[in-house]
Amino acid sequence: MRALVYKGPGARQLEERPNPTIQQADDAIVRVRRTTICGTDLHILKGDVPTCLPGTVLGHEGVGAIEEVGSAVRGFRPGDTVLISCITSCGWCDYCRKGMYSHCLDGGWILGNRIDGTQAEYVRIPHADFSLHHVPDGADEDALTMLSDILPTGFECGVLNGKVQPGCSVAIVGSGPIGLAALMTAQFYTPAILVVIDPDRHRLEIAQCFGATHVLTPDADTASLVKKLTDGRGADVVIEAVGVPASFELCEDLVAPGGTIANIGVHGTKVDLHLERLWSHNITITTRLVDTVTTPQLLRAVTARKLEAAALVTHRFRLEEMDLAYDTFGRAADTHAMKVIIQVS
């Protein structure tokens, strides 16, 4: 099979690999039809993810068809169209029983990290019964690929952790794919104000199309502008969707007393926490790795056309164009890329 292999920091290569095989009785082999590139894949290429060793096939998102199942798999059979979750869960350990699939003792984020991933013609999925989802006939596979990771991430880590409520005010710092996923799913709860903050004006235009009530570029006046929109209080929910110190510190300036800062961004360096200002403000700060517990709920919303996930897709490539796909996604400020779809088969 053809697969995109991580060769070490800054290097990747599309190469021929043997097809994966069943290793455990609850494995499934999936023939990949659609996959995509995540910002985390770029972090791997930068050398920021030491658990991903050279020689690993990248990718943790996708839609495909079951090719083969192990003897213990009960919910799937060859030929079934499936959505691949970015999180692998055994379903039985203490963390899985709490719904914390991201911390599964025999899973978590392993695809394209600790085991070979989905940017390939075939992928092995451990614990298939708990790590795959059936896809309804005729569903838009481009849209469903967005359900592997970014939509549950934006929803769980941003909207649910942030406790978005009807009539509240929400500020989202960052309007990349994850920020937009949080923006789209926050509207399930009808907040009164949805402010999106990003230096990229093109992305702010997209955010307005996706339902933002206000858009701002980050500067010295951003906090005062948000307070003006919220009767001087600040935002009830502030969602950090970038992962750099400046964006988190901006969130600290934006949050209202009694509010919540919901961190989604992947932070590679330390961030200053200004407790000298916030200690008395009843602030909640949440962190989370996506558990994908909401994927079935979001899948129903997408298939019912209540969530237009396909609108996040801006570019499409074939597997043999992976270098171009990575270049396009990695230069999003120039190419205006949001999410790219890689058609594999």
Side-chain angles (χ1 to χ4, degrees), residues 29-260:
I29 304 300
V30 176
R31 183 182 179 93
V32 181
R33 295 209 288 246
R34 300 280 195 285
T35 186
T36 185
I37 302 171
C38 180
T40 312
D41 296 322
L42 300 183
H43 278 285
I44 289 172
L45 290 174
K46 291 177 183 176
D48 294 340
V49 184
T51 51
C52 186
L53 300 178
T56 304
V57 177
L58 292 176
H60 51 266
E61 302 162 86
V63 172
I66 299 284
E67 187 81 7
E68 182 183 1
V69 296
S71 60
V73 175
R74 295 290 178 263
F76 300 92
R77 61 184 181 181
D80 287 350
T81 300
V82 292
L83 169 67
I84 300 166
S85 175
C86 67
I87 298 295
T88 299
S89 54
C90 74
W92 301 106
C93 72
D94 287 347
Y95 286 117
C96 285
R97 288 175 181 270
K98 294 176 184 177
M100 293 176 62
Y101 302 147
S102 60
H103 291 271
C104 172
L105 294 176
D106 193 39
W109 174 40
I110 59 174
L111 283 176
N113 176 13
R114 291 190 281 119
I115 67 171
D116 288 339
T118 59
Q119 291 173 11
E121 291 177 312
Y122 294 90
V123 61
R124 180 180 70 91
I125 304 297
H127 307 304
D129 281 324
F130 294 98
S131 306
L132 296 171
H133 301 270
H134 285 284
V135 170
D137 291 339
D140 182 343
E141 294 186 3
D142 285 1
L144 294 185
T145 305
M146 302 300 102
L147 287 173
S148 287
D149 187 350
I150 66 164
L151 280 169
T153 296
F155 187 44
E156 294 174 16
C157 305
V159 176
L160 296 184
N161 262 20
K163 299 179 176 62
V164 176
Q165 299 290 327
C168 77
S169 55
V170 179
I172 300 172
V173 179
S175 62
I178 291 293
L180 292 178
L183 170 65
M184 295 169 74
T185 54
Q187 292 170 72
F188 290 158
Y189 297 93
T190 61
I193 295 174
L194 266 171
V195 185
V196 175
I197 301 161
D198 197 286
D200 188 320
R201 294 189 179 276
H202 175 73
R203 289 191 167 188
L204 292 180
E205 291 174 6
I206 295 174
Q208 285 184 304
C209 294
F210 281 21
T213 60
H214 303 79
V215 294
L216 300 170
T217 55
D219 56 37
D221 296 325
T222 301
S224 61
L225 290 172
V226 169
K227 287 183 178 179
K228 188 177 296 185
L229 293 170
T230 56
D231 298 324
R233 294 191 300 268
D236 300 312
V237 181
V238 183
I239 297 173
E240 200 286 338
V242 183
V244 298
S247 60
F248 188 87
E249 291 185 38
L250 176 58
C251 291
E252 296 178 65
D253 294 335
L254 299 177
V255 67
T260 299

